[in-house]
Amino acid sequence: MLLDKAICISGMFMLFTVSSAQTRQDSLRTLDEVVVTAGRYKEIIPAQRLAGEKLEALSSFSVADAIRYFSGIQIKDYGGIGGLKTVDVRSMGTNHLGVFYDGIQLGNAQNGQIDLGKFSLDNIEEISLYNGQKSEIFQSAKDFGAAGTVYLRTRHPRFRDGKRTNMIYRFRTGSFGLVNPSVLWEQKINSAVSSSVNAEYIYASGKYPFRYRKMLPAGTVAWDTTAVRQNGDIHSLRLEGGLKGYVPNGYWHAKTYFYDAEKGIPGAIINNVWKHSQRQWDRNFFVQFSARNIVPLPENDELLINIKYANDRMRYLNPDTTLMYLDNTFRQQEIYASAANRYSVLQNWDVNLSVDYQYNTLSSNLTDFVFPERNTLLAALATAVEWRRFKAQASVLGTFVFENVTRQNANSPADKTEYTPAVFLSYQPFVPAGKTNPLVVHTFFKRIFRMPTFNDLYYTDIGNIALNPEYATQYDIGVQYAKAFGNSGSSPAFALNFRADAYYNEVTGKIIAVPKGNGQYRWMMMNLGYVEIRGIDVSAGAQLTEPLHMPLQVSVSLNYTFQRAQDFSDPEDNDPEAGTYGGQIAYIPRHNGSAIANVVWRSWDLNYSFIYVGERYHNSSNIRANYEQPWYTHDMTLGKSFLWHAGGGRTAPLTVKISAEINNIFNRYYDVVLNYPMPGRNGKVILKLEI
């Protein structure tokens, strides 16, 4: 274990050994300021975004906390700082969501789920959410391969006033015994190359009071008590390093990431069992490189290259022999390479060809484990056209999967080949000659699938190698409006934006667990599910800058989602008293929404956020026994910034910011997932020093 950790950390700092050598070539660089612009084709359907000061002002501890404020999002949160947090977009399932970190997808071939609770906001500059896919054609084939995508963009080093070094220190403390220091160091190596290192440590006891309340179908209270959540502690270390460089017509960046954590698994509160002893250890490491136009190319040609290696290890321990003693380890490895080439046929017509290769393996100490290997080849052909007020993009993705198992006498699944199309359109109506219209109408269609995970196929006694892919078909139509009024310095005095989308999705061949034989304690994965999803997403925002010449800035954003996500898997299961046919699928509310308000006055800032999740059921049988109450939270953060002149003014001043936040102000007790109680009222104090 120590050797593995040493190798990972050594890889982390290998980049900076290279960077020190790069400084010797400083005299060869003459680019003081480099600006790389995106392609001529803007996004047909813009993303939902949180970025900059607005992202930092949220009462959010991790990426999962921040992403809750997007419309169309459902979060499964199992509680506490270290609890598992996964994201579902428009009810199609976690495995249909692609998560990209600085342009390259995060993978988990074992179970297909990315725990967004592992990613801190300290080094994140922007979070973007796209439905369907990012409507750009110049991207890797992987970008075309999900029903929805989340892009996490880490902080880009910027050096002002001739500075060559930026240092940011943060320290958080608060409820649950939280101790959370972090440091970010950015260094300008020369006029075209910069580096960054980010380190963060988290400790928390995870202990918080909760209310355990059960209502009987008749409406009477079965029990109502309070207790303290146990075994929710976490110790984690995250290290990230990066190098970024510019060339005259492009850029390149390299990143390495290491995460090591031990945490308790507090478990579900069932049958008056209040404490669990399960533990989990995670160690994740990856190194990746991306480059755009780093070799000389014709003016109408562009090249994008991505390379990645990842090594993930997870250990799960259940020492409770009254249940079943388990001590299982899993180790995944991934190798990924991609090349995308965009060619401008005409001034308003581009085509792009992307080819990706990915290799995945999984090993485990499970009995009779088959040690699967998966080779995946993806090829995407895409085109984009602009004509007056009309924009169109179309693509087709070919996916070729070759899989085998290395244990003798075990069958491998059949090779799989799939072709999936997508079409995106937008139009600006009512535009007078020579002018623009802030109103845009857009629509898209996409057919996509997700491969069964290694757990679906091979988990001992549960997996089913005969599984087929799970398919999703998406239809969307919407409008967007954005308008700025007046001018206040470099910002509009008033800005307004609005967006509404209506959508219909189908998920077919859904992979679900069903009883195996007559034993209710033995299960098998099967392609039996079929879900229809109808919904409306609405978002609106406004920003007011320096009204009446006051040093004041106010911004407000609102999001609302209505969804009817129905399970039509088994037409015979239509008993009105307990049937699942036509029922709202588990944990999907019909109504949910969020609101964010931010006020900045001189050196003070106040941020208020609100989240509402409507009534749900924890089973597709929408009966009273499966009913889950609505829940909501109010959070608030107050911050003050000032300059501190250390050393009597002989050195550069420090920028200091002190913030206090209170979450769940009204101490609302609720469960996101049944029997996993969430914290009540809690708070943090944050100190930030910037040099």
Side-chain angles (χ1 to χ4, degrees), residues 569-602:
S569 299
D570 186 0
E572 296 183 359
D573 190 6
N574 57 8
D575 182 352
E577 298 298 326
T580 62
Y581 187 77
Q584 186 88 345
I585 63 177
Y587 293 110
I588 302 301
R590 292 200 184 187
H591 305 276
N592 68 282
S594 67
I596 302 172
N598 180 256
V599 179
V600 178
W601 172 270
R602 301 185 189 275

PDB file of all heavy atoms in Angstrom, residues 569-602:
ATOM      1  N   SER A 569     -42.696  -1.192 -17.150  1.00  0.00           N
ATOM      2  CA  SER A 569     -41.923  -2.412 -17.375  1.00  0.00           C
ATOM      3  C   SER A 569     -42.799  -3.656 -17.482  1.00  0.00           C
ATOM      4  O   SER A 569     -42.566  -4.516 -18.320  1.00  0.00           O
ATOM      5  CB  SER A 569     -40.910  -2.606 -16.239  1.00  0.00           C
ATOM      6  OG  SER A 569     -40.008  -1.532 -16.175  1.00  0.00           O
ATOM      7  N   ASP A 570     -43.811  -3.766 -16.623  1.00  0.00           N
ATOM      8  CA  ASP A 570     -44.594  -5.006 -16.549  1.00  0.00           C
ATOM      9  C   ASP A 570     -46.076  -4.674 -16.611  1.00  0.00           C
ATOM     10  O   ASP A 570     -46.681  -4.309 -15.603  1.00  0.00           O
ATOM     11  CB  ASP A 570     -44.257  -5.746 -15.252  1.00  0.00           C
ATOM     12  CG  ASP A 570     -44.933  -7.112 -15.169  1.00  0.00           C
ATOM     13  OD1 ASP A 570     -45.666  -7.477 -16.114  1.00  0.00           O
ATOM     14  OD2 ASP A 570     -44.717  -7.808 -14.152  1.00  0.00           O
ATOM     15  N   PRO A 571     -46.730  -4.832 -17.794  1.00  0.00           N
ATOM     16  CA  PRO A 571     -48.160  -4.500 -17.906  1.00  0.00           C
ATOM     17  C   PRO A 571     -49.057  -5.332 -16.991  1.00  0.00           C
ATOM     18  O   PRO A 571     -50.164  -4.904 -16.659  1.00  0.00           O
ATOM     19  CB  PRO A 571     -48.466  -4.801 -19.384  1.00  0.00           C
ATOM     20  CG  PRO A 571     -47.149  -4.725 -20.072  1.00  0.00           C
ATOM     21  CD  PRO A 571     -46.136  -5.214 -19.080  1.00  0.00           C
ATOM     22  N   GLU A 572     -48.583  -6.512 -16.581  1.00  0.00           N
ATOM     23  CA  GLU A 572     -49.402  -7.356 -15.713  1.00  0.00           C
ATOM     24  C   GLU A 572     -49.355  -6.912 -14.252  1.00  0.00           C
ATOM     25  O   GLU A 572     -50.190  -7.329 -13.449  1.00  0.00           O
ATOM     26  CB  GLU A 572     -48.950  -8.809 -15.829  1.00  0.00           C
ATOM     27  CG  GLU A 572     -49.160  -9.399 -17.226  1.00  0.00           C
ATOM     28  CD  GLU A 572     -48.762 -10.854 -17.289  1.00  0.00           C
ATOM     29  OE1 GLU A 572     -48.311 -11.400 -16.245  1.00  0.00           O
ATOM     30  OE2 GLU A 572     -48.884 -11.452 -18.372  1.00  0.00           O
ATOM     31  N   ASP A 573     -48.381  -6.065 -13.913  1.00  0.00           N
ATOM     32  CA  ASP A 573     -48.253  -5.599 -12.533  1.00  0.00           C
ATOM     33  C   ASP A 573     -49.054  -4.301 -12.388  1.00  0.00           C
ATOM     34  O   ASP A 573     -48.508  -3.232 -12.146  1.00  0.00           O
ATOM     35  CB  ASP A 573     -46.782  -5.383 -12.189  1.00  0.00           C
ATOM     36  CG  ASP A 573     -46.563  -5.142 -10.700  1.00  0.00           C
ATOM     37  OD1 ASP A 573     -47.532  -5.259  -9.929  1.00  0.00           O
ATOM     38  OD2 ASP A 573     -45.421  -4.826 -10.319  1.00  0.00           O
ATOM     39  N   ASN A 574     -50.369  -4.408 -12.544  1.00  0.00           N
ATOM     40  CA  ASN A 574     -51.228  -3.224 -12.563  1.00  0.00           C
ATOM     41  C   ASN A 574     -52.256  -3.207 -11.444  1.00  0.00           C
ATOM     42  O   ASN A 574     -53.301  -2.558 -11.546  1.00  0.00           O
ATOM     43  CB  ASN A 574     -51.927  -3.108 -13.913  1.00  0.00           C
ATOM     44  CG  ASN A 574     -52.731  -4.363 -14.242  1.00  0.00           C
ATOM     45  OD1 ASN A 574     -52.880  -5.245 -13.399  1.00  0.00           O
ATOM     46  ND2 ASN A 574     -53.249  -4.422 -15.461  1.00  0.00           N
ATOM     47  N   ASP A 575     -51.995  -3.921 -10.381  1.00  0.00           N
ATOM     48  CA  ASP A 575     -52.883  -3.932  -9.219  1.00  0.00           C
ATOM     49  C   ASP A 575     -52.981  -2.514  -8.661  1.00  0.00           C
ATOM     50  O   ASP A 575     -51.969  -1.914  -8.289  1.00  0.00           O
ATOM     51  CB  ASP A 575     -52.322  -4.882  -8.162  1.00  0.00           C
ATOM     52  CG  ASP A 575     -53.224  -4.983  -6.930  1.00  0.00           C
ATOM     53  OD1 ASP A 575     -54.193  -4.207  -6.830  1.00  0.00           O
ATOM     54  OD2 ASP A 575     -52.946  -5.847  -6.082  1.00  0.00           O
ATOM     55  N   PRO A 576     -54.179  -1.922  -8.583  1.00  0.00           N
ATOM     56  CA  PRO A 576     -54.296  -0.548  -8.077  1.00  0.00           C
ATOM     57  C   PRO A 576     -53.859  -0.399  -6.633  1.00  0.00           C
ATOM     58  O   PRO A 576     -53.567   0.717  -6.185  1.00  0.00           O
ATOM     59  CB  PRO A 576     -55.787  -0.236  -8.248  1.00  0.00           C
ATOM     60  CG  PRO A 576     -56.467  -1.565  -8.345  1.00  0.00           C
ATOM     61  CD  PRO A 576     -55.485  -2.489  -8.981  1.00  0.00           C
ATOM     62  N   GLU A 577     -53.796  -1.490  -5.879  1.00  0.00           N
ATOM     63  CA  GLU A 577     -53.404  -1.408  -4.478  1.00  0.00           C
ATOM     64  C   GLU A 577     -51.890  -1.474  -4.293  1.00  0.00           C
ATOM     65  O   GLU A 577     -51.360  -0.942  -3.324  1.00  0.00           O
ATOM     66  CB  GLU A 577     -54.061  -2.545  -3.686  1.00  0.00           C
ATOM     67  CG  GLU A 577     -55.571  -2.500  -3.676  1.00  0.00           C
ATOM     68  CD  GLU A 577     -56.102  -1.229  -3.016  1.00  0.00           C
ATOM     69  OE1 GLU A 577     -55.449  -0.752  -2.065  1.00  0.00           O
ATOM     70  OE2 GLU A 577     -57.148  -0.725  -3.455  1.00  0.00           O
ATOM     71  N   ALA A 578     -51.170  -2.157  -5.206  1.00  0.00           N
ATOM     72  CA  ALA A 578     -49.729  -2.306  -5.005  1.00  0.00           C
ATOM     73  C   ALA A 578     -48.950  -2.444  -6.308  1.00  0.00           C
ATOM     74  O   ALA A 578     -47.749  -2.688  -6.275  1.00  0.00           O
ATOM     75  CB  ALA A 578     -49.441  -3.529  -4.123  1.00  0.00           C
ATOM     76  N   GLY A 579     -49.575  -2.261  -7.456  1.00  0.00           N
ATOM     77  CA  GLY A 579     -48.904  -2.461  -8.732  1.00  0.00           C
ATOM     78  C   GLY A 579     -47.920  -1.348  -9.044  1.00  0.00           C
ATOM     79  O   GLY A 579     -48.023  -0.222  -8.550  1.00  0.00           O
ATOM     80  N   THR A 580     -46.956  -1.675  -9.909  1.00  0.00           N
ATOM     81  CA  THR A 580     -45.937  -0.701 -10.299  1.00  0.00           C
ATOM     82  C   THR A 580     -46.187  -0.125 -11.684  1.00  0.00           C
ATOM     83  O   THR A 580     -45.587   0.892 -12.037  1.00  0.00           O
ATOM     84  CB  THR A 580     -44.542  -1.354 -10.282  1.00  0.00           C
ATOM     85  OG1 THR A 580     -44.505  -2.418 -11.243  1.00  0.00           O
ATOM     86  CG2 THR A 580     -44.211  -1.894  -8.904  1.00  0.00           C
ATOM     87  N   TYR A 581     -47.056  -0.751 -12.491  1.00  0.00           N
ATOM     88  CA  TYR A 581     -47.234  -0.317 -13.872  1.00  0.00           C
ATOM     89  C   TYR A 581     -47.831   1.092 -13.919  1.00  0.00           C
ATOM     90  O   TYR A 581     -48.884   1.369 -13.355  1.00  0.00           O
ATOM     91  CB  TYR A 581     -48.153  -1.289 -14.613  1.00  0.00           C
ATOM     92  CG  TYR A 581     -48.260  -1.012 -16.090  1.00  0.00           C
ATOM     93  CD1 TYR A 581     -47.238  -1.373 -16.953  1.00  0.00           C
ATOM     94  CD2 TYR A 581     -49.387  -0.386 -16.614  1.00  0.00           C
ATOM     95  CE1 TYR A 581     -47.329  -1.125 -18.313  1.00  0.00           C
ATOM     96  CE2 TYR A 581     -49.492  -0.131 -17.976  1.00  0.00           C
ATOM     97  CZ  TYR A 581     -48.453  -0.500 -18.817  1.00  0.00           C
ATOM     98  OH  TYR A 581     -48.544  -0.241 -20.165  1.00  0.00           O
ATOM     99  N   GLY A 582     -47.115   1.998 -14.585  1.00  0.00           N
ATOM    100  CA  GLY A 582     -47.560   3.382 -14.700  1.00  0.00           C
ATOM    101  C   GLY A 582     -47.203   4.257 -13.521  1.00  0.00           C
ATOM    102  O   GLY A 582     -47.512   5.455 -13.530  1.00  0.00           O
ATOM    103  N   GLY A 583     -46.520   3.703 -12.506  1.00  0.00           N
ATOM    104  CA  GLY A 583     -46.171   4.491 -11.329  1.00  0.00           C
ATOM    105  C   GLY A 583     -44.960   5.377 -11.560  1.00  0.00           C
ATOM    106  O   GLY A 583     -44.096   5.084 -12.394  1.00  0.00           O
ATOM    107  N   GLN A 584     -44.905   6.482 -10.821  1.00  0.00           N
ATOM    108  CA  GLN A 584     -43.721   7.342 -10.842  1.00  0.00           C
ATOM    109  C   GLN A 584     -42.547   6.543 -10.297  1.00  0.00           C
ATOM    110  O   GLN A 584     -42.645   5.900  -9.256  1.00  0.00           O
ATOM    111  CB  GLN A 584     -43.962   8.584  -9.978  1.00  0.00           C
ATOM    112  CG  GLN A 584     -42.872   9.624 -10.034  1.00  0.00           C
ATOM    113  CD  GLN A 584     -43.069  10.628 -11.158  1.00  0.00           C
ATOM    114  OE1 GLN A 584     -43.873  10.387 -12.057  1.00  0.00           O
ATOM    115  NE2 GLN A 584     -42.345  11.737 -11.109  1.00  0.00           N
ATOM    116  N   ILE A 585     -41.397   6.560 -11.026  1.00  0.00           N
ATOM    117  CA  ILE A 585     -40.274   5.721 -10.626  1.00  0.00           C
ATOM    118  C   ILE A 585     -39.662   6.230  -9.321  1.00  0.00           C
ATOM    119  O   ILE A 585     -39.861   7.377  -8.915  1.00  0.00           O
ATOM    120  CB  ILE A 585     -39.212   5.609 -11.733  1.00  0.00           C
ATOM    121  CG1 ILE A 585     -38.594   6.969 -12.035  1.00  0.00           C
ATOM    122  CG2 ILE A 585     -39.804   4.986 -12.983  1.00  0.00           C
ATOM    123  CD1 ILE A 585     -37.481   6.904 -13.066  1.00  0.00           C
ATOM    124  N   ALA A 586     -38.916   5.360  -8.683  1.00  0.00           N
ATOM    125  CA  ALA A 586     -38.424   5.618  -7.332  1.00  0.00           C
ATOM    126  C   ALA A 586     -37.607   6.901  -7.251  1.00  0.00           C
ATOM    127  O   ALA A 586     -36.741   7.162  -8.089  1.00  0.00           O
ATOM    128  CB  ALA A 586     -37.580   4.430  -6.865  1.00  0.00           C
ATOM    129  N   TYR A 587     -37.932   7.706  -6.228  1.00  0.00           N
ATOM    130  CA  TYR A 587     -37.191   8.899  -5.827  1.00  0.00           C
ATOM    131  C   TYR A 587     -37.259  10.049  -6.828  1.00  0.00           C
ATOM    132  O   TYR A 587     -36.513  11.020  -6.703  1.00  0.00           O
ATOM    133  CB  TYR A 587     -35.723   8.564  -5.531  1.00  0.00           C
ATOM    134  CG  TYR A 587     -35.569   7.693  -4.310  1.00  0.00           C
ATOM    135  CD1 TYR A 587     -35.168   6.375  -4.425  1.00  0.00           C
ATOM    136  CD2 TYR A 587     -35.868   8.180  -3.042  1.00  0.00           C
ATOM    137  CE1 TYR A 587     -35.038   5.554  -3.312  1.00  0.00           C
ATOM    138  CE2 TYR A 587     -35.745   7.383  -1.919  1.00  0.00           C
ATOM    139  CZ  TYR A 587     -35.337   6.067  -2.064  1.00  0.00           C
ATOM    140  OH  TYR A 587     -35.227   5.268  -0.955  1.00  0.00           O
ATOM    141  N   ILE A 588     -38.127   9.980  -7.809  1.00  0.00           N
ATOM    142  CA  ILE A 588     -38.256  11.083  -8.758  1.00  0.00           C
ATOM    143  C   ILE A 588     -39.461  11.925  -8.363  1.00  0.00           C
ATOM    144  O   ILE A 588     -40.610  11.466  -8.436  1.00  0.00           O
ATOM    145  CB  ILE A 588     -38.423  10.566 -10.203  1.00  0.00           C
ATOM    146  CG1 ILE A 588     -37.235   9.699 -10.591  1.00  0.00           C
ATOM    147  CG2 ILE A 588     -38.582  11.739 -11.161  1.00  0.00           C
ATOM    148  CD1 ILE A 588     -35.892  10.397 -10.518  1.00  0.00           C
ATOM    149  N   PRO A 589     -39.264  13.172  -7.926  1.00  0.00           N
ATOM    150  CA  PRO A 589     -40.397  14.034  -7.579  1.00  0.00           C
ATOM    151  C   PRO A 589     -41.053  14.589  -8.837  1.00  0.00           C
ATOM    152  O   PRO A 589     -40.409  14.757  -9.873  1.00  0.00           O
ATOM    153  CB  PRO A 589     -39.737  15.159  -6.765  1.00  0.00           C
ATOM    154  CG  PRO A 589     -38.356  15.251  -7.342  1.00  0.00           C
ATOM    155  CD  PRO A 589     -37.969  13.845  -7.725  1.00  0.00           C
ATOM    156  N   ARG A 590     -42.330  14.872  -8.738  1.00  0.00           N
ATOM    157  CA  ARG A 590     -42.986  15.546  -9.859  1.00  0.00           C
ATOM    158  C   ARG A 590     -42.574  17.012  -9.921  1.00  0.00           C
ATOM    159  O   ARG A 590     -42.521  17.603 -11.004  1.00  0.00           O
ATOM    160  CB  ARG A 590     -44.504  15.441  -9.729  1.00  0.00           C
ATOM    161  CG  ARG A 590     -45.031  14.032  -9.915  1.00  0.00           C
ATOM    162  CD  ARG A 590     -46.506  14.044 -10.258  1.00  0.00           C
ATOM    163  NE  ARG A 590     -47.042  12.697 -10.346  1.00  0.00           N
ATOM    164  CZ  ARG A 590     -48.265  12.417 -10.768  1.00  0.00           C
ATOM    165  NH1 ARG A 590     -49.076  13.396 -11.126  1.00  0.00           N
ATOM    166  NH2 ARG A 590     -48.690  11.169 -10.824  1.00  0.00           N
ATOM    167  N   HIS A 591     -42.319  17.610  -8.778  1.00  0.00           N
ATOM    168  CA  HIS A 591     -41.965  19.027  -8.730  1.00  0.00           C
ATOM    169  C   HIS A 591     -40.692  19.194  -7.900  1.00  0.00           C
ATOM    170  O   HIS A 591     -40.579  18.634  -6.807  1.00  0.00           O
ATOM    171  CB  HIS A 591     -43.086  19.848  -8.080  1.00  0.00           C
ATOM    172  CG  HIS A 591     -44.429  19.669  -8.717  1.00  0.00           C
ATOM    173  ND1 HIS A 591     -44.830  20.373  -9.829  1.00  0.00           N
ATOM    174  CD2 HIS A 591     -45.461  18.835  -8.400  1.00  0.00           C
ATOM    175  CE1 HIS A 591     -46.058  19.996 -10.164  1.00  0.00           C
ATOM    176  NE2 HIS A 591     -46.459  19.069  -9.308  1.00  0.00           N
ATOM    177  N   ASN A 592     -39.749  19.946  -8.418  1.00  0.00           N
ATOM    178  CA  ASN A 592     -38.619  20.372  -7.602  1.00  0.00           C
ATOM    179  C   ASN A 592     -38.054  21.658  -8.187  1.00  0.00           C
ATOM    180  O   ASN A 592     -38.245  21.969  -9.375  1.00  0.00           O
ATOM    181  CB  ASN A 592     -37.546  19.288  -7.499  1.00  0.00           C
ATOM    182  CG  ASN A 592     -36.823  19.015  -8.789  1.00  0.00           C
ATOM    183  OD1 ASN A 592     -37.344  18.330  -9.665  1.00  0.00           O
ATOM    184  ND2 ASN A 592     -35.616  19.543  -8.931  1.00  0.00           N
ATOM    185  N   GLY A 593     -37.387  22.428  -7.347  1.00  0.00           N
ATOM    186  CA  GLY A 593     -36.864  23.712  -7.800  1.00  0.00           C
ATOM    187  C   GLY A 593     -35.822  24.265  -6.860  1.00  0.00           C
ATOM    188  O   GLY A 593     -35.557  23.705  -5.782  1.00  0.00           O
ATOM    189  N   SER A 594     -35.218  25.364  -7.273  1.00  0.00           N
ATOM    190  CA  SER A 594     -34.189  26.010  -6.454  1.00  0.00           C
ATOM    191  C   SER A 594     -34.190  27.502  -6.737  1.00  0.00           C
ATOM    192  O   SER A 594     -34.686  27.962  -7.775  1.00  0.00           O
ATOM    193  CB  SER A 594     -32.806  25.416  -6.744  1.00  0.00           C
ATOM    194  OG  SER A 594     -32.385  25.725  -8.062  1.00  0.00           O
ATOM    195  N   ALA A 595     -33.623  28.246  -5.809  1.00  0.00           N
ATOM    196  CA  ALA A 595     -33.486  29.695  -5.963  1.00  0.00           C
ATOM    197  C   ALA A 595     -32.165  30.123  -5.342  1.00  0.00           C
ATOM    198  O   ALA A 595     -31.747  29.589  -4.311  1.00  0.00           O
ATOM    199  CB  ALA A 595     -34.651  30.431  -5.289  1.00  0.00           C
ATOM    200  N   ILE A 596     -31.506  31.079  -5.986  1.00  0.00           N
ATOM    201  CA  ILE A 596     -30.253  31.643  -5.479  1.00  0.00           C
ATOM    202  C   ILE A 596     -30.353  33.156  -5.583  1.00  0.00           C
ATOM    203  O   ILE A 596     -30.745  33.694  -6.622  1.00  0.00           O
ATOM    204  CB  ILE A 596     -29.030  31.161  -6.286  1.00  0.00           C
ATOM    205  CG1 ILE A 596     -28.922  29.641  -6.268  1.00  0.00           C
ATOM    206  CG2 ILE A 596     -27.745  31.785  -5.751  1.00  0.00           C
ATOM    207  CD1 ILE A 596     -27.854  29.112  -7.206  1.00  0.00           C
ATOM    208  N   ALA A 597     -30.007  33.843  -4.511  1.00  0.00           N
ATOM    209  CA  ALA A 597     -29.950  35.304  -4.513  1.00  0.00           C
ATOM    210  C   ALA A 597     -28.612  35.734  -3.935  1.00  0.00           C
ATOM    211  O   ALA A 597     -28.192  35.228  -2.892  1.00  0.00           O
ATOM    212  CB  ALA A 597     -31.096  35.896  -3.697  1.00  0.00           C
ATOM    213  N   ASN A 598     -27.955  36.663  -4.617  1.00  0.00           N
ATOM    214  CA  ASN A 598     -26.636  37.129  -4.179  1.00  0.00           C
ATOM    215  C   ASN A 598     -26.611  38.650  -4.191  1.00  0.00           C
ATOM    216  O   ASN A 598     -27.043  39.285  -5.162  1.00  0.00           O
ATOM    217  CB  ASN A 598     -25.549  36.572  -5.106  1.00  0.00           C
ATOM    218  CG  ASN A 598     -24.162  37.019  -4.706  1.00  0.00           C
ATOM    219  OD1 ASN A 598     -23.582  37.885  -5.337  1.00  0.00           O
ATOM    220  ND2 ASN A 598     -23.622  36.427  -3.654  1.00  0.00           N
ATOM    221  N   VAL A 599     -26.127  39.217  -3.103  1.00  0.00           N
ATOM    222  CA  VAL A 599     -26.008  40.669  -2.974  1.00  0.00           C
ATOM    223  C   VAL A 599     -24.571  41.007  -2.606  1.00  0.00           C
ATOM    224  O   VAL A 599     -24.018  40.444  -1.645  1.00  0.00           O
ATOM    225  CB  VAL A 599     -26.964  41.221  -1.894  1.00  0.00           C
ATOM    226  CG1 VAL A 599     -26.792  42.734  -1.762  1.00  0.00           C
ATOM    227  CG2 VAL A 599     -28.408  40.868  -2.218  1.00  0.00           C
ATOM    228  N   VAL A 600     -23.955  41.908  -3.371  1.00  0.00           N
ATOM    229  CA  VAL A 600     -22.592  42.370  -3.088  1.00  0.00           C
ATOM    230  C   VAL A 600     -22.646  43.864  -2.821  1.00  0.00           C
ATOM    231  O   VAL A 600     -23.140  44.645  -3.654  1.00  0.00           O
ATOM    232  CB  VAL A 600     -21.641  42.070  -4.264  1.00  0.00           C
ATOM    233  CG1 VAL A 600     -20.244  42.606  -3.959  1.00  0.00           C
ATOM    234  CG2 VAL A 600     -21.594  40.573  -4.549  1.00  0.00           C
ATOM    235  N   TRP A 601     -22.162  44.269  -1.648  1.00  0.00           N
ATOM    236  CA  TRP A 601     -22.111  45.687  -1.257  1.00  0.00           C
ATOM    237  C   TRP A 601     -20.704  46.002  -0.793  1.00  0.00           C
ATOM    238  O   TRP A 601     -20.276  45.520   0.241  1.00  0.00           O
ATOM    239  CB  TRP A 601     -23.131  45.973  -0.155  1.00  0.00           C
ATOM    240  CG  TRP A 601     -23.011  47.349   0.440  1.00  0.00           C
ATOM    241  CD1 TRP A 601     -22.257  47.722   1.501  1.00  0.00           C
ATOM    242  CD2 TRP A 601     -23.656  48.537  -0.024  1.00  0.00           C
ATOM    243  NE1 TRP A 601     -22.376  49.057   1.748  1.00  0.00           N
ATOM    244  CE2 TRP A 601     -23.240  49.595   0.822  1.00  0.00           C
ATOM    245  CE3 TRP A 601     -24.541  48.801  -1.071  1.00  0.00           C
ATOM    246  CZ2 TRP A 601     -23.694  50.898   0.646  1.00  0.00           C
ATOM    247  CZ3 TRP A 601     -24.989  50.110  -1.231  1.00  0.00           C
ATOM    248  CH2 TRP A 601     -24.567  51.134  -0.378  1.00  0.00           C
ATOM    249  N   ARG A 602     -19.974  46.756  -1.607  1.00  0.00           N
ATOM    250  CA  ARG A 602     -18.577  47.068  -1.319  1.00  0.00           C
ATOM    251  C   ARG A 602     -17.809  45.777  -1.065  1.00  0.00           C
ATOM    252  O   ARG A 602     -17.704  44.937  -1.953  1.00  0.00           O
ATOM    253  CB  ARG A 602     -18.474  48.056  -0.165  1.00  0.00           C
ATOM    254  CG  ARG A 602     -19.196  49.389  -0.403  1.00  0.00           C
ATOM    255  CD  ARG A 602     -18.955  50.378   0.716  1.00  0.00           C
ATOM    256  NE  ARG A 602     -19.796  51.556   0.584  1.00  0.00           N
ATOM    257  CZ  ARG A 602     -19.488  52.623  -0.162  1.00  0.00           C
ATOM    258  NH1 ARG A 602     -18.346  52.646  -0.821  1.00  0.00           N
ATOM    259  NH2 ARG A 602     -20.321  53.656  -0.232  1.00  0.00           N
TER     260      ARG A 602
END
